[in-house]
């Protein structure tokens, strides 16, 4: 156990917090200002799974923002950073489409997939395999939620 956990230390990861805040910003807006055709407010058919996803979302956020690899070189990986930025831009584009009244499977899946992919890329780029594990579980739950509630 020491071998795996020994590679990590508790420490503030400002870029992890920044990414989390960037991705959560549209959700905060959505809570305050409903979209025109707001299907995301419909009751969920996956309540238990949603609860599991919420737990892993908290674990994901905590590990992205509060765990650092001891052996990680200081400069980040530009291709991964570009991928994270692209995921954020596509996520914001999906929110724009959603607020523009475009409620279709591609938009709804984009709202679920792009933030998860951004978190996965960030965790992989930082070699934060603990966060990567939590993020993978959250992603699976989030994608099942989207598929069951909006595609089936």
């Amino acid at each position: 156990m020491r071998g795996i956990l020994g590679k990590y230390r508790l420490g503030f990861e400002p870029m992890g917090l920044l990414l989390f805040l960037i991705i959560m910003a549209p959700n905060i807006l959505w809570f305050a200002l409903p979209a025109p055709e707001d299907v995301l407010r419909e009751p969920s058919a996956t309540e238990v799974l949603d609860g599991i996803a919420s737990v892993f979302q908290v674990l994901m956020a905590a590990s992205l923002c509060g765990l650092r690899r001891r052996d990680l070189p200081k400069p980040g990986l530009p291709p991964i950073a570009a991928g994270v930025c692209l995921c954020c831009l596509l996520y914001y584009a999906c929110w724009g489409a959603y607020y523009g009244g475009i409620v279709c499977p591609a938009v709804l899946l984009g709202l679920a997939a792009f933030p998860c992919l951004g978190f996965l890329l960030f965790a992989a780029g930082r070699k934060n395999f603990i966060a990567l594990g939590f993020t993978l579980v959250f992603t699976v739950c989030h994608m099942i939620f989207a598929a069951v509630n909006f595609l089936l």
Side-chain angles (χ1 to χ4, degrees), residues 34-116:
E37 188 181 335
D38 206 349
V39 300
L40 296 176
R41 293 185 191 272
E42 305 267 329
S44 174
T46 57
E47 289 182 24
V48 172
L49 188 69
D50 299 346
I52 294 167
S54 293
V55 168
F56 278 89
Q57 183 179 29
V58 169
L59 293 170
M60 172 191 75
S63 59
L64 286 173
C65 299
L67 283 180
R68 298 180 65 118
R69 285 283 297 234
R70 294 180 189 276
D71 59 346
L72 187 67
K74 290 290 180 197
L77 300 172
I80 289 181
V84 171
C85 289
L86 179 61
C87 288
C88 290
L89 290 173
L90 291 170
Y91 179 58
Y92 272 74
C94 287
W95 272 112
Y98 186 74
Y99 269 91
I102 301 170
V103 180
C104 65
V107 169
L108 295 170
L109 284 176
L111 288 173
F114 290 127
C116 292

Side-chain angles (χ1 to χ4, degrees), residues 111-122:
L111 288 173
F114 290 127
C116 292
L117 185 56
F119 288 132
L120 287 167
L121 286 172
F122 179 80

Side-chain angles (χ1 to χ4, degrees), residues 119-149:
F119 288 132
L120 287 167
L121 286 172
F122 179 80
R126 302 298 295 164
K127 295 184 181 181
N128 187 339
F129 299 118
I130 294 171
L132 190 61
F134 292 143
T135 306
L136 280 170
V137 175
F138 172 73
T139 299
V140 168
C141 293
H142 205 48
M143 295 310 296
I144 291 171
F145 159 82
V148 168
N149 286 286

